[in-house]
Amino acid sequence: MATITSEIESSIAHTLPAGDFVLEPLTGADDNNVDLIAVVRVSIESLWAKKMRSFLTMLGVIIGVFSVVALLAVGSGASNAITSQVQSFGTNLVVIAPGSITNRSAGFSGPAQTMTLEDANAIAALNLPLKGVAPQFNGNTRIVAAAADKDAAFVGAAPSYQALNHLVLSSGSFFDDSQVRNAAPVMVLGANLAKELFGSGQAVGQIVRAKDQSLQVIGVLATQGGGGFGSVDDQAFVPITVAQQRLFGARTPDGNGYRVTAITLELVHGEDLPAIQQRIQILLRERHHLKADGSEDDFSVLSQTAFLSTLNSITALLTTFLAALAGISLFVGGVGIMNIMLVSVTERTREIGLRKAVGARERDILLQFIAEALVISLVGGLIGLVLGGAFALAITLSGALTASVSPGVALMAISVAMAFGLFFGIYPARQAARLNPIDALRYE
Amino acid sequence: MNPVIISITDLQKIYHMGDVQVPALQGVSFEIRRGEFVAIMGPSGSGKSTLMNLIGCLDMPSAGRYQLDGVDVEQLSGDDLAAVRARKLGFVFQQYNLLPRQSALRNVEMPLIYRGMPATERRHRAGIALRIVGMGDRMDHRPNELSGGQQQRVAIARALVGSPSVILADEPTGALDSKTGIEIMRILQRLNREQGLTILVVTHEHDIAAFAQRILHISDGKLVRDEQLQSNLVA
Ligand SMILES: Nc1ncnc2c1ncn2[C@@H]1O[C@H](COP(=O)(O)OP(=O)(O)OP(=O)(O)O)[C@@H](O)[C@H]1O
Ligand SMILES: [Mg+2]
């Protein structure tokens, strides 16, 4: 016993030179706060110690944030594409069609044949700030050419129709005012239609027959592409007088004038729309002898602005709906965080007990586990954001759409992920913080 | 004579296990003065650990009074108890209770995190504490790279680092062989002599208890003998 003691004595004397190491007494204030950097470091180390598990937990958040970000990027990209496509048809166009909005079956060529050429002239006579007033009469019939025949949509129009709709000719010319006045039997073909009737051969100068009338092709349009209301490339254009008088018989029941299926107006200033719309409404109600007591309009004024705003609100609604669905997967990711945190609290009960035994307060332990939940959701959120951004970039590079992640969306996705992390992290963190130190230390 | 630092009056602790009540402490009274080195001995199940946990503010008594440094501990809130544990007390456990993934240095600096001490100062103090227990050359070792005795020395450094008034050790040598156990007791004895720390050690072994100046004998939850040692082992 004595030898053992002296042996140890000498070994300690060797490593413990007397008086050299003195710990100064600590006289800290009693409300000292925990060192936050150390807390975050401990969270990261705990997560790192269980890499696979932490990653799988994070995966829920990654998928959630990725879906939200990707859907919003593609959604806003699609909505921009639709908007610019619609705008490419001409921004300040207004179409007045027979039939009421609430009875859309009346449409462009429906039975409510209440609008006449006189209405178009009366609108023109108002001297509103318009670039043009273009009445049209549309119909469908078969075109018979030497080599082929084809059912086609005819647009009976005035020469101004060309400029209004940005139609470009690949050969020949559009009809002029005198040809309209004289109901000259001429026509202009859309690019597809010309190809189907004449193949690669020369179309201009050819004579075709429609409704027992001979019509001479005087022009062919360049391919316009794009969607819209029936593709221009498949249409045939004739002077409105030809459509009304020779092809489709558009005389009004009283025999004094001709019906039209639509009147297209181009505004000088888009802002004039409400005023002009109101003025035309008053005029047409008067001309159509509609009572002031509120019988319904027998015509509709369709503007691109109104169409666009409807379209935008639909795409916005759709995008929000999809993003909310993606948000559910973020919620599920949050539940995953809660699950793994509860496991972690159980596993680390002794550690919690130890920390409490050396002086950690409830709030320090709470903070420790909340920090862990936030680290999972922040890192997962950032990875999801990067992946979502990469997805948007890939979509853009593929040429399908221009999809981009706005800073607002990025911020929103990360905040929502962290809010879920906080929400689902608090319960396990409280469980940990409330552990009685001695029970926690004894836990096996 | 030094002032009283621990004053215990008729302290009781009853554990409730379902309907069964286990009276682990049944009215214990004693005083310990600053700078004393006290051993607590008694048979297994006599209530030694229960008493240590109450003195260490890890648990609350069922009845009786406990004053630490003149403060009535029963009156303190959770945060105040945490502050007492952080500032006045240092614990040494039988199973060392080191954090397995962290180095000796980080284990020792850990209590200081909760006092808001900046990292550099924490490390400085932890380094000194480790040198005091003779572990200056093992600071970067993890617990699984250290022997049992070395781990217990790290645990002592952790108890020291906040410069507490009292060190509480519940069977600190229980998991060690007798040679290493005596080594640990030497360190505690030095701290008691050179730094004036008040030390309470629970032990089953007379060899270990012989390092103390006074032995409290506990049996069936009662203090049965308060023994002053005339000549304890002198370094
Ligand atoms: N958490 C608890 N719940 C119920 N009973 C307990 C609890 N802790 C201790 N006891 C009981 O209280 C009594 C005293 O236990 P304690 O751990 O204080 O004994 P001890 O003197 O430290 O024993 P040992 O020398 O074996 O460590 C024992 O009868 C024990 O069974
Ligand atoms: Mg015990």
Side-chain angles (χ1 to χ4, degrees):
Chain A
M1 180 67 207
T3 50
I4 291 174
T5 312
S6 64
E7 209 177 282
I8 292 157
E9 190 88 342
S10 62
S11 86
I12 290 173
H14 179 66
T15 50
L16 225 179
D20 266 14
F21 306 115
V22 177
L23 275 172
E24 302 292 327
L26 280 173
T27 49
D30 269 18
D31 57 0
N32 274 344
N33 284 318
V34 68
D35 180 4
L36 275 179
I37 299 166
V39 167
V40 172
R41 181 174 173 190
V42 168
S43 339
I44 292 172
E45 282 171 349
S46 313
L47 293 173
W48 190 249
K50 311 256 170 175
K51 286 182 214 49
M52 191 54 158
R53 194 166 87 179
S54 304
F55 173 72
L56 290 176
T57 309
M58 239 174 238
L59 200 57
V61 182
I62 294 176
I63 292 173
V65 170
F66 168 80
S67 339
V68 170
V69 167
L71 273 170
L72 286 180
V74 169
S76 71
S79 147
N80 288 343
I82 293 171
T83 304
S84 68
Q85 209 165 36
V86 169
Q87 279 172 345
S88 74
F89 291 114
T91 25
N92 292 335
L93 292 189
V94 175
V95 175
I96 305 162
S100 70
I101 282 276
T102 50
N103 185 17
R104 283 309 299 143
S105 62
F108 282 97
S109 49
Q113 317 226 313
T114 52
M115 285 203 339
T116 65
L117 208 51
E118 291 306 312
D119 288 337
N121 293 338
I123 290 170
L126 287 174
N127 280 326
L128 297 168
L130 297 172
K131 279 189 195 162
V133 178
Q136 51 183 297
F137 192 93
N138 300 344
N140 295 296
T141 190
R142 199 167 191 79
I143 301 177
V144 182
D149 29 334
K150 178 96 181 87
D151 283 320
F154 276 72
V155 176
S160 57
Y161 188 90
Q162 185 197 356
L164 235 50
N165 291 285
H166 310 288
L167 302 180
V168 181
L169 287 157
S170 69
S171 61
S173 57
F174 212 74
F175 38 83
D176 59 22
D177 279 328
S178 76
Q179 285 166 316
V180 170
R181 227 177 298 116
N182 302 330
V186 295
M187 75 188 304
V188 174
L189 296 174
N192 285 346
L193 192 56
K195 193 167 285 168
E196 278 162 10
L197 292 173
F198 303 106
S200 53
Q202 174 68 271
V204 175
Q206 303 279 347
I207 307 284
V208 299
R209 292 187 68 77
K211 288 254 171 122
D212 290 329
Q213 301 284 325
S214 293
L215 297 169
Q216 186 178 23
V217 179
I218 59 166
V220 174
L221 297 180
T223 302
Q224 308 280 313
F229 323 99
S231 174
V232 163
D233 294 334
D234 295 319
Q235 290 174 346
F237 301 86
V238 294
I240 184 168
T241 44
V242 172
Q244 287 170 325
Q245 298 163 23
R246 293 173 183 258
L247 296 177
F248 302 115
R251 202 168 271 283
T252 51
D254 62 11
N256 295 334
Y258 289 101
R259 289 178 288 117
V260 295
T261 48
I263 302 169
T264 303
L265 315 175
E266 187 172 11
L267 311 191
V268 178
H269 306 292
E271 317 83 79
D272 295 340
L273 178 66
I276 288 179
Q277 181 167 349
Q278 197 188 9
R279 189 70 195 81
I280 288 173
Q281 204 167 5
I282 291 166
L283 175 81
L284 290 182
R285 286 186 69 87
E286 200 176 296
R287 289 184 54 80
H288 295 183
H289 311 294
L290 298 175
K291 292 207 182 75
D293 65 2
S295 53
E296 231 178 277
D297 288 350
D298 59 357
F299 57 91
S300 326
V301 181
L302 311 166
S303 73
Q304 213 161 47
T305 325
F307 181 63
L308 267 184
S309 78
T310 310
L311 200 68
N312 279 339
S313 59
I314 289 171
T315 48
L317 195 70
L318 203 68
T319 308
T320 312
F321 175 68
L322 289 175
L325 278 184
I328 292 176
S329 71
L330 202 53
F331 185 85
V332 174
V335 175
I337 293 182
M338 176 136 124
N339 177 40
I340 220 67
M341 296 278 302
L342 285 171
V343 172
S344 177
V345 168
T346 311
E347 279 177 353
R348 283 155 67 193
T349 301
R350 279 174 67 94
E351 177 192 326
I352 294 163
L354 174 70
R355 289 182 187 276
K356 286 197 142 188
V358 302
R361 289 154 296 193
E362 277 201 16
R363 73 177 104 120
D364 299 329
I365 303 294
L366 190 72
L367 201 63
Q368 181 70 67
F369 282 86
I370 285 177
E372 231 155 276
L374 286 182
V375 166
I376 294 180
S377 56
L378 177 64
V379 174
L382 287 175
I383 295 175
L385 180 62
V386 168
L387 291 180
F391 179 78
L393 189 68
I395 291 280
T396 306
L397 291 180
S398 80
L401 277 177
T402 309
S404 67
V405 182
S406 70
V409 166
L411 203 68
M412 183 276 289
I414 296 292
S415 326
V416 169
M418 291 191 64
F420 275 137
L422 190 65
F423 179 78
F424 286 107
I426 275 183
Y427 176 74
R430 284 177 80 109
Q431 299 289 101
R434 284 182 177 170
L435 285 173
N436 174 358
I438 193 64
D439 293 340
L441 268 172
R442 281 215 199 96
Y443 185 85
E444 292 303 328
Chain B
M1 262 223 279
N2 283 342
V4 171
I5 185 157
I6 290 170
S7 166
I8 276 170
T9 318
D10 198 22
L11 203 67
Q12 299 182 28
K13 177 70 186 179
I14 298 168
Y15 291 111
H16 299 270
M17 298 178 67
D19 291 342
V20 187
Q21 298 200 336
V22 184
L25 281 184
Q26 322 186 31
V28 175
S29 305
F30 59 83
E31 286 185 344
I32 292 175
R33 293 181 179 274
R34 202 175 269 281
E36 275 193 278
F37 191 149
V38 179
I40 299 173
M41 294 190 77
S44 185
S46 57
K48 305 182 294 294
S49 296
T50 303
L51 179 59
M52 284 297 258
N53 294 336
L54 292 177
I55 295 174
C57 300
L58 295 175
D59 211 352
M60 280 300 185
S62 310
R65 189 159 179 222
Y66 167 30
Q67 280 186 307
L68 176 62
D69 226 357
V71 176
D72 271 307
V73 169
E74 310 91 78
Q75 314 282 324
L76 298 179
S77 69
D79 278 7
D80 289 339
L81 283 174
V84 167
R85 291 195 289 265
R87 287 165 176 79
K88 297 204 168 154
L89 303 170
F91 266 98
V92 180
F93 304 94
Q94 181 174 356
Q95 295 301 333
Y96 329 130
N97 277 345
L98 299 175
L99 297 175
R101 291 187 303 268
Q102 300 192 349
S103 68
L105 188 74
R106 292 201 54 206
N107 264 288
V108 174
E109 68 168 283
M110 191 265 279
L112 301 177
I113 290 174
Y114 301 107
R115 299 171 76 156
M117 190 182 284
T120 45
E121 202 181 329
R122 283 204 307 266
R123 263 172 234 139
H124 176 69
R125 281 190 77 88
I128 295 175
L130 280 165
R131 283 191 199 98
I132 287 176
V133 298
M135 291 292 291
D137 52 351
R138 297 279 198 285
M139 294 195 194
D140 297 326
H141 289 237
R142 291 181 179 203
N144 62 2
E145 298 159 349
L146 296 171
S147 71
Q150 290 172 328
Q151 290 186 56
Q152 196 59 297
R153 289 207 242 168
V154 172
I156 292 172
R158 181 181 62 198
L160 275 183
V161 77
S163 58
S165 316
V166 182
I167 286 199
L168 303 168
D170 190 349
E171 302 197 43
T173 61
L176 303 172
D177 61 41
S178 59
K179 182 188 154 184
T180 318
I182 285 167
E183 207 176 299
I184 292 299
M185 290 312 289
R186 281 282 176 215
I187 292 172
L188 292 176
Q189 193 175 46
R190 270 192 105 93
L191 293 171
N192 172 248
R193 292 204 175 139
E194 289 171 15
Q195 322 231 350
L197 277 169
T198 311
I199 294 180
L200 266 78
V201 176
V202 168
T203 182
H204 279 119
E205 295 163 66
H206 288 281
D207 286 356
I208 298 298
F211 280 85
Q213 303 151 350
R214 178 181 169 194
I215 301 178
L216 298 174
H217 295 271
I218 308 275
S219 184
D220 284 334
K222 294 190 181 99
L223 179 65
V224 291
R225 198 164 132 226
D226 186 344
E227 178 185 12
Q228 289 288 337
L229 294 187
Q230 294 313 314
S231 59
N232 61 306
L233 281 177
V234 177

